Amino acid sequence: VQLQASGGGLVQPGGSLMLSCAASGFTLDYYAIGWFRQAPGKEREGVSCISSIDGSVYYGDSVKGRFTISIDKSKNIVYLQMNNLGPEDTGIWYCATDRYPFGGRCGPDNKYDFWGQGTQVTVSS
């Protein structure tokens, strides 16, 4: 049973990356799946999530209008398309699952109980 985040790398400011969160050993049905950013020296911050139950999505203020989260249930993968990246997006990016999302929805208060290893994103010229 594993979550694996991938797709990070080095990108110039204004560039784009697509992160993937692949689940193995279980299906992402009936979960909320979140993406988190941990910048150097800072606490981990939730930036987006999606519910595989009702399709609801959430974006933090810092990524609204720049990022898009989606899920491919056939592949058991959640994607985070990140556009117009800035230095503030630099950090380790993690995905995690909330097995019992309240009301089946996704929002800023989900409780995540299973985490994958992160992927490094560096935005620099």
Side-chain angles (χ1 to χ4, degrees):
V1 177
Q2 188 178 9
L3 281 174
Q4 181 65 55
S6 62
L10 173 64
V11 64
Q12 292 187 342
S16 298
L17 285 173
M18 177 177 277
L19 302 184
S20 298
C21 176
S24 58
F26 69 106
T27 67
L28 289 173
D29 293 342
Y30 309 114
Y31 283 85
I33 305 97
W35 281 102
F36 298 78
R37 172 178 63 204
Q38 187 161 22
K42 295 188 177 181
E43 292 188 357
R44 191 162 51 194
E45 171 193 11
V47 297
S48 185
C49 67
I50 187 167
S51 168
S52 64
I53 301 170
D54 69 356
S56 56
V57 298
Y58 162 79
Y59 298 101
D61 289 342
S62 64
V63 305
K64 279 181 184 176
R66 299 191 297 129
F67 292 6
T68 303
I69 192 169
S70 61
I71 185 169
D72 186 332
K73 291 185 179 182
S74 67
K75 295 182 178 179
N76 219 26
I77 296 176
V78 171
Y79 299 100
L80 187 68
Q81 176 65 46
M82 308 192 297
N83 298 327
N84 194 21
L85 286 161
E88 69 277 12
D89 298 311
T90 293
I92 302 174
W93 287 73
Y94 300 89
C95 59
T97 55
D98 175 358
R99 188 171 183 180
Y100 303 106
F102 183 77
R105 294 190 58 80
C106 178
D109 297 324
N110 288 81
K111 308 300 182 188
Y112 295 91
D113 50 17
F114 185 63
W115 294 80
Q117 291 186 331
T119 185
Q120 176 71 44
V121 172
T122 303
V123 184
S124 175
S125 55

